[in-house]
Amino acid sequence: SILNPDEEDRLNNQIRSLHQSGLIQISVLTIKSLEGEVLEDYSIKVAQTWGLGSEIKDNGLLILLAMKERKIRIEVGQGIEGDVTDYLSSRIISKLTPY
């Protein structure tokens, strides 16, 4: 219920396009609550469980939003760390924060 259907479709199409290009595999996960778990541990567990990115390129990216705690975390595979820097991640988070 964070995005309206049109926004969700647009986001899914953009993510699908990036994945099909082979550049990056992005997943966005919204959860109601961390239920006492540490944000960083939770996001790493999800990224590893889901197997984001290709095994060779390690080009996965997870955006995790914990709504109750109002926290956002971005996990980046080693293969794209040079492209998705901490600075870029913080800019993305700052754009998402008002929502």
Side-chain angles (χ1 to χ4, degrees):
S1 65
I2 296 169
L3 302 173
N4 68 47
D6 288 339
E7 292 170 326
E8 188 174 342
D9 285 343
R10 197 170 338 120
L11 180 60
N12 283 330
N13 288 335
Q14 290 172 339
I15 289 172
R16 192 174 300 110
S17 176
L18 286 168
H19 179 65
Q20 289 171 344
S21 73
L23 297 174
I24 190 170
Q25 182 182 1
I26 300 173
S27 288
V28 178
L29 173 63
T30 59
I31 59 173
K32 288 181 182 180
S33 173
L34 290 166
E35 297 183 6
E37 288 200 50
V38 177
L39 179 68
E40 293 79 4
D41 295 342
Y42 192 97
S43 62
I44 289 171
K45 221 182 324 184
V46 169
Q48 289 173 342
T49 300
W50 288 4
L52 294 176
S54 81
E55 201 169 312
I56 296 169
K57 294 181 182 179
D58 196 9
N59 60 345
L61 184 141
L62 171 68
I63 301 173
L64 172 64
L65 297 96
M67 303 313 291
K68 180 180 176 187
E69 294 82 2
R70 301 183 55 83
K71 292 186 176 184
I72 303 171
R73 172 113 177 134
I74 297 178
E75 288 296 337
V76 178
Q78 288 182 334
I80 57 171
E81 282 182 339
D83 298 314
V84 184
T85 61
D86 289 344
Y87 174 73
L88 179 57
S89 293
S90 69
R91 288 191 59 206
I92 293 168
I93 289 170
S94 71
K95 295 283 186 186
L96 294 173
T97 301
Y99 297 102

